[in-house]
Amino acid sequence: MALRQAHRRARVADASIDEPSAELWGPEFAEVAQRLLSSAVLCFARNGFHATTTRDLTAGVGLSPGALYVHFSTKEDVLFAITRVGHERALAGLGDDTGELDPAEQLAELVRRFVAWHARHHTVARICQYELSGLEPGHFEQVQHLRQQINQVFRGAVARGVHAGVFDVPDVHRTARVIISLGVDLVRWYRLDGPDSPEALADEYAALALRMVLARPGG
């Protein structure tokens, strides 16, 4: 019984893992390097960074273990590439064109974009959130800087709404962290073949975020 349950849990976990699309990596990486990165995403998502070997990474694309070092210095360098690119893409996905919207519309649009990106790229995003302990200090610092930039976008949007009298929150920083957590947490369970499309989930989460922050009449 326990063994069957373990296999069932493993199947459920694997069902929420999707191979990243090649365009995620961009022209910065050669075609073989892109394939290695995609293989690494699948391996890290299934087994974790520390339990994954270089043989695992290269076997996923039909190469020998030594082929990894043609494109990456170490296994940690692969993890850094994944987490750096993932955070860069998530930050770029927020855009810089929401400043003309009113505060509520701006925050809702930022949440939509953030949630939709994390849903579409949930396997990469899972690595970005849960494998950071595998990074060397210098690489972790670079990724942390990107995370701080994302935080600043949401803090700015919440603060703008508070300043305009549209939002009523006790603490801008904590509220921004809660809103970001909405988008981040879904990577643990989201499936592209599930009942909610990235767009539908994004709309629902945007509405939830607004309910958290909007000032109540007479409040």
Side-chain angles (χ1 to χ4, degrees), residues 102-123:
D102 71 49
E105 290 175 344
Q106 180 188 29
L107 182 61
E109 182 60 22
L110 289 172
V111 171
R112 286 190 196 97
R113 295 178 183 184
F114 194 65
V115 169
W117 189 92
H118 280 76
R120 292 190 195 101
H121 305 286
H122 59 276
T123 308

Side-chain angles (χ1 to χ4, degrees), residues 36-37 39-41 43-44 47-58 65-83 127 131 133-136 139:
L36 286 167
L37 288 170
S39 176
V41 167
C43 290
F44 294 162
N47 307 316
F49 169 74
H50 294 291
T52 297
T53 66
T54 54
R55 185 177 297 276
D56 295 329
L57 301 183
T58 55
L68 179 76
Y69 303 107
V70 175
H71 303 278
F72 300 97
S73 300
T74 63
K75 184 180 72 167
E76 187 273 343
D77 200 35
V78 177
L79 177 63
F80 173 58
I82 293 168
T83 54
I127 307 303
E131 298 294 340
S133 63
L135 293 175
E136 296 178 354
H139 286 162

Side-chain angles (χ1 to χ4, degrees), residues 157-217:
V158 174
R160 180 172 175 242
V162 171
H163 182 72
V166 178
F167 299 163
D168 181 16
V169 300
D171 187 292
V172 168
H173 295 272
R174 290 189 183 125
T175 301
R177 284 199 298 269
V178 169
I179 292 171
I180 290 170
S181 295
L182 286 174
V184 167
D185 184 70
L186 68 85
V187 305
R188 294 187 302 109
W189 55 266
Y190 184 75
R191 294 171 52 168
L192 284 172
D193 62 352
D196 296 314
S197 69
E199 294 74 22
L201 201 64
D203 286 339
E204 184 172 346
Y205 277 37
L208 285 172
L210 289 184
R211 286 202 290 272
M212 283 194 292
V213 301
L214 285 174
R216 304 296 192 270

Side-chain angles (χ1 to χ4, degrees), residues 18-26 34 37-38 41 120-121 124:
D18 292 287
E19 184 168 0
S21 55
E23 61 265 23
L24 178 70
W25 308 122
Q34 291 183 14
L37 288 170
S38 294
V41 167
R120 292 190 195 101
H121 305 286
V124 169

Side-chain angles (χ1 to χ4, degrees), residues 1-12:
M1 175 67 74
L3 185 59
R4 287 199 299 272
Q5 290 175 340
H7 285 311
R8 191 179 302 116
R9 285 194 296 269
R11 287 197 300 271
V12 170

Side-chain angles (χ1 to χ4, degrees), residues 87-107:
H87 281 87
E88 287 175 348
R89 300 291 187 268
L91 177 61
L94 295 175
D96 56 4
D97 58 347
T98 63
E100 298 301 315
L101 301 174
D102 71 49
E105 290 175 344
Q106 180 188 29
L107 182 61

